Amino acid sequence: MLPGIGVFGTGEVAKVFVPLLREKDFSIKAIWGKTISDAEKAAKDLNIPFFTNKIDDVLLRKDVDLVFIICLPYLHSEISVKALGIGKHVVCDKPMGICESDALKMVRASQYYPALISLVNHSLRFLPAITHMKRHIADGMIGQIELIDIRVHIGSLLRSKFDWMCDASMGGGILNLVGSHVIDLVKFLLNGKKATRAHGLIRTYKISNANVNGIRQISAPDYCTFQLEVEGNVLVSASLFGNTVASNTFFQEIMVCGRDGHLVVRGGDLFVMKIKDESLQREEAVYVDVQDLHFSTLDSTLPKPYIKGLCKMVGALKESFSQNENAWVKEPVQAAANFEDGLYVRSVIDAICKSNECRNWCKVEISPEYTPIS
């Protein structure tokens, strides 16, 4: 039997998650908002029977067994630890907290309750083109991996009023919200290999807009470029553009270069170019995404590849709970990012931020207080 769902958050991601969950036959039992008016409006718009602005009112409901935490990042740790402590499964949005200590608390809770699901919403792992890319890398299609180059152009991450998305210290900005996906994706494609050093440059070009133009200013970065040195002598280069330095049209290219050629995902399609005869080099389609989304999330401002990844992730969750009436089965969500993956991403983001401040390469380090599961 599928678990009842409690949703923490009323923003754009909630408006995407709820229809996806219903599409997969999950029942949404309750929603939490920062204010009671936000919660009430979201409950009405999304047809959810119970709403509140008190965390415990959702967690203590007997009909809620799985919570989706897609609210303000500084609450991710508190809600996750509480939920796991009373036997609730957890799926948490990125970034995983606003600092390493937050992420560390979440990891400890997940280790203490290993019988419960504790996942991070890194949905690109489930995008079909990415799963095909990972398989071809493992099969040696392009030989030993030497370089990964990722470019993302995305529209404005800001909302119609000043909130945490405008504030870097509260988890806003392109590095936290898009860079976290990129960092996790590199580890996923390289079968768990981690970054050892990072170098980054972060900028906020637009400090005000039509809706944020008073005393408060936008501090969340809208541009970031970083390089990572990864185990196995792999170099990663990433450029993340907000709408202030690029067009509002979404563009994402993920290129993995090996000694025998390269694989590249553009949008939701996968292409390959093998090095044979240099005079005949051209890319060939390996996977073309022709699947349409048939529900209300089509109107979302979230990029379609991320929504399609979410759809696949929710489908894996359904399969995980459907295979056994008494407990969830791990295999369908084996590819998902867990809390330990989220802690690693947090440590890389911190190293990139430190590099931006000191203008030098910085070592990627996870707190010595962290004890991995053997």
Side-chain angles (χ1 to χ4, degrees):
M1 186 172 70
L2 296 179
I5 304 292
V7 176
F8 286 89
T10 58
E12 183 72 13
V13 180
K15 295 174 184 176
V16 172
F17 257 124
V18 169
L20 286 177
L21 289 165
R22 288 202 173 115
E23 177 77 10
K24 302 299 182 182
D25 301 321
F26 284 97
S27 178
I28 318 300
K29 302 297 185 180
I31 188 167
W32 172 94
K34 184 180 179 182
T35 66
I36 195 66
S37 59
D38 288 344
E40 182 177 16
K41 184 178 186 306
K44 182 178 179 181
D45 293 344
L46 298 171
N47 193 27
I48 298 173
F50 178 82
F51 62 88
T52 182
N53 65 339
K54 297 180 180 178
I55 293 172
D56 290 350
D57 286 352
V58 175
L59 293 180
L60 295 177
R61 287 182 65 92
K62 293 182 179 180
D63 57 356
V64 170
D65 298 300
L66 168 62
V67 297
F68 280 77
I69 305 171
I70 45 184
C71 57
L72 298 83
Y74 76 86
L75 290 172
H76 288 183
S77 178
E78 176 188 349
I79 299 172
S80 295
V81 172
K82 276 188 173 183
L84 291 168
I86 58 176
K88 311 289 185 180
H89 302 285
V90 174
V91 176
C92 183
D93 202 13
K94 76 315 160 199
M96 207 172 87
I98 58 174
C99 60
E100 188 181 57
S101 62
D102 278 356
L104 200 55
K105 292 174 186 176
M106 295 168 69
V107 168
R108 286 171 176 162
S110 69
Q111 291 176 339
Y112 197 74
Y113 302 100
L116 298 172
I117 282 179
S118 51
L119 304 179
V120 185
N121 171 27
H122 286 303
S123 59
L124 285 179
R125 287 182 174 221
F126 288 87
L127 186 67
I130 295 296
T131 59
H132 284 284
M133 174 184 266
K134 179 178 173 64
R135 186 176 71 250
H136 290 312
I137 291 172
D139 291 342
M141 175 182 279
I142 57 174
Q144 183 176 335
I145 306 305
E146 297 177 325
L147 173 68
I148 299 178
D149 183 71
I150 300 176
R151 290 182 294 153
V152 183
H153 295 194
I154 199 166
S156 177
L157 296 170
L158 306 178
R159 298 174 180 150
S160 59
K161 61 181 180 180
F162 187 93
D163 62 6
W164 69 269
M165 298 277 279
C166 301
D167 192 328
S169 65
M170 295 183 68
I174 199 162
L175 176 58
N176 277 317
L177 300 176
V178 178
S180 57
H181 280 297
V182 171
I183 295 164
D184 176 77
L185 188 60
V186 169
K187 181 186 176 187
F188 178 67
L189 291 173
L190 296 180
N191 199 29
K193 291 181 179 178
K194 298 179 180 180
T196 56
R197 294 204 306 161
H199 185 277
L201 178 67
I202 306 168
R203 290 291 182 270
T204 303
Y205 282 99
K206 199 164 189 178
I207 61 173
S208 64
N209 59 27
N211 301 306
V212 182
N213 55 11
I215 297 175
R216 288 177 169 176
Q217 291 186 332
I218 298 167
S219 63
D222 45 32
Y223 171 78
C224 176
T225 181
F226 61 84
Q227 293 76 44
L228 304 175
E229 290 183 349
V230 180
E231 296 167 339
N233 199 30
V234 179
L235 180 64
V236 176
S237 178
S239 296
L240 314 177
F241 297 82
N243 72 314
T244 59
V245 287
S247 70
N248 276 321
T249 303
F250 173 75
F251 171 79
Q252 179 170 271
E253 181 178 88
I254 301 159
M255 180 179 289
V256 180
C257 301
R259 291 183 177 176
D260 300 328
H262 73 248
L263 287 160
V264 57
V265 172
R266 295 189 184 96
D269 303 328
L270 175 64
F271 303 88
V272 65
M273 189 187 78
K274 294 186 178 181
I275 301 174
K276 295 178 181 177
D277 185 341
E278 291 186 1
S279 64
L280 297 174
Q281 287 184 15
R282 66 177 185 272
E283 289 183 352
E284 297 179 357
V286 178
Y287 173 84
V288 177
D289 187 359
V290 295
Q291 181 183 8
D292 290 327
L293 294 169
H294 298 292
F295 29 83
S296 59
T297 54
L298 287 173
D299 297 328
S300 173
T301 59
L302 294 180
K304 188 175 290 186
Y306 292 80
I307 296 178
K308 286 194 173 184
L310 283 175
C311 184
K312 296 293 184 181
M313 188 177 80
V314 172
L317 275 171
K318 177 183 178 179
E319 185 180 351
S320 180
F321 284 103
S322 299
Q323 289 188 15
N324 189 328
E325 291 186 1
N326 299 317
W328 67 285
V329 179
K330 184 176 183 179
E331 283 70 22
V333 292
Q334 187 75 42
N338 57 34
F339 279 10
E340 294 196 3
D341 294 317
L343 174 61
Y344 161 74
V345 171
R346 182 75 261 168
S347 69
V348 177
I349 291 175
D350 290 348
I352 292 170
C353 292
K354 183 178 178 181
S355 171
N356 177 68
E357 294 173 359
C358 70
R359 300 178 181 272
N360 207 343
W361 283 86
C362 291
K363 187 176 180 180
V364 176
E365 296 179 298
I366 298 179
S367 171
E369 298 178 28
Y370 164 62
T371 304
I373 297 176
S374 58

